[in-house]
Amino acid sequence: MGKQVRVPGRGLGVASVVLLVLGAVLTCVGALGGYFFMPTKVVYSDNMKPTHLRGDSRVFNLLVTKVDRGDVVLFDASVWGERGMFVERVVAVGGDRIEYWPGVRTLILNGKPLDEPYVLGADAVAGSFAAFSVVVPEGRLFLLGDNRGNSADSRYRFAETEGGTVPLSAVKGAVIEKGHPLVVGLRSTMFVGIAVLSLGAVSGIASLRRRRAAAAAAPVAYAWQVPPQGH
């Protein structure tokens, strides 16, 4: 059995392939998860002031599967006969009763005053021009802006939808903090993937150079085996 010939640069070549595949996977996972499904969008309205100011950048989780009271959501405003995506806060969910009575300085949720420390000027009923009492249907949401005096929200949409509510199917995402471990982890994964791809490329180049160097040196090393011309 003959002696196995060692191929110069083979180890680097194998390492290069492994690193390139791993880097591609990490980059795709990080880019899709951290940027495509958790994009950064600019707030274009004053309706969520002071929590989210016009011009602020916010990350939205488009993979959100559950929406709770207090969440700030991105939704398709076509359900209200509007164009584009709106941002509002979930105040009541399916099965809740949300009420407003003139003279009362808070909204009433399920028979109790609703504590809303996030509203502008601590005025939770600003812009509420008429009494209402809405039982939110299952699978729907009652949405309000934090700037109650400047938000065309569920209070103004009774004519368009059931109690001014929005179906869960219209929700496309929810605000998630930029420093949330999921956002940081996925976005960091993309940069790690890019670094691994770069290392794989460097390994591949080094492997190729070694093979070329070995091929160039081969005729010199074995020149004595070639018989002289004319003999």
Side-chain angles (χ1 to χ4, degrees):
M1 190 172 180
K3 185 178 180 181
Q4 186 176 5
V5 179
R6 182 181 178 186
V7 179
R10 181 178 180 181
L12 279 174
V14 172
S16 173
V17 172
V18 172
L19 289 171
L20 288 172
V21 171
L22 177 60
V25 171
L26 292 175
T27 301
C28 289
V29 170
L32 284 174
Y35 289 93
F36 184 79
F37 291 113
M38 294 189 183
T40 298
K41 295 181 178 293
V42 176
V43 177
Y44 57 86
S45 173
D46 289 322
N47 73 307
M48 289 302 294
K49 187 179 180 180
T51 315
H52 306 289
L53 305 178
R54 182 193 292 266
D56 284 351
S57 295
R58 292 291 182 264
V59 177
F60 288 86
N61 179 10
L62 305 187
L63 297 175
V64 63
T65 57
K66 183 181 179 183
V67 178
D68 295 316
R69 298 187 202 98
D71 289 347
V72 176
V73 297
L74 177 74
F75 67 98
D76 184 354
S78 64
V79 296
W80 282 346
E82 303 281 358
R83 283 187 173 185
M85 297 288 179
F86 282 14
V87 176
E88 302 280 4
R89 187 181 295 276
V90 178
V91 174
V93 298
D96 287 339
R97 179 184 289 277
I98 185 73
E99 301 173 90
Y100 163 67
W101 303 107
V104 179
R105 300 314 301 167
T106 67
L107 297 179
I108 306 299
L109 179 67
N110 299 326
K112 298 180 180 179
L114 179 60
D115 183 25
E116 298 185 277
Y118 40 77
V119 297
L120 180 65
D123 190 353
V125 298
S128 299
F129 61 90
F132 61 81
S133 180
V134 175
V135 176
V136 182
E138 291 296 336
R140 301 183 73 89
L141 307 168
F142 193 87
L143 307 177
L144 298 178
D146 290 354
N147 184 1
R148 297 288 159 80
N150 185 24
S151 180
D153 46 40
S154 287
R155 297 170 297 172
Y156 299 89
R157 307 293 179 170
F158 297 139
E160 284 87 0
T161 62
E162 301 175 67
T165 60
V166 168
L168 279 168
S169 59
V171 174
K172 304 306 178 184
V175 170
I176 184 172
E177 294 297 325
K178 291 180 180 179
H180 191 283
L182 186 58
V183 177
V184 174
L186 285 171
R187 293 188 173 186
S188 297
T189 296
M190 187 191 75
F191 291 108
V192 170
I194 292 173
V196 172
L197 277 173
S198 301
L199 186 58
V202 170
S203 297
I205 293 170
S207 172
L208 183 60
R209 285 181 175 176
R210 285 194 181 184
R211 292 188 181 190
R212 287 180 176 176
V220 176
Y222 299 101
W224 59 274
Q225 293 181 347
V226 181
Q229 296 293 324
H231 291 274

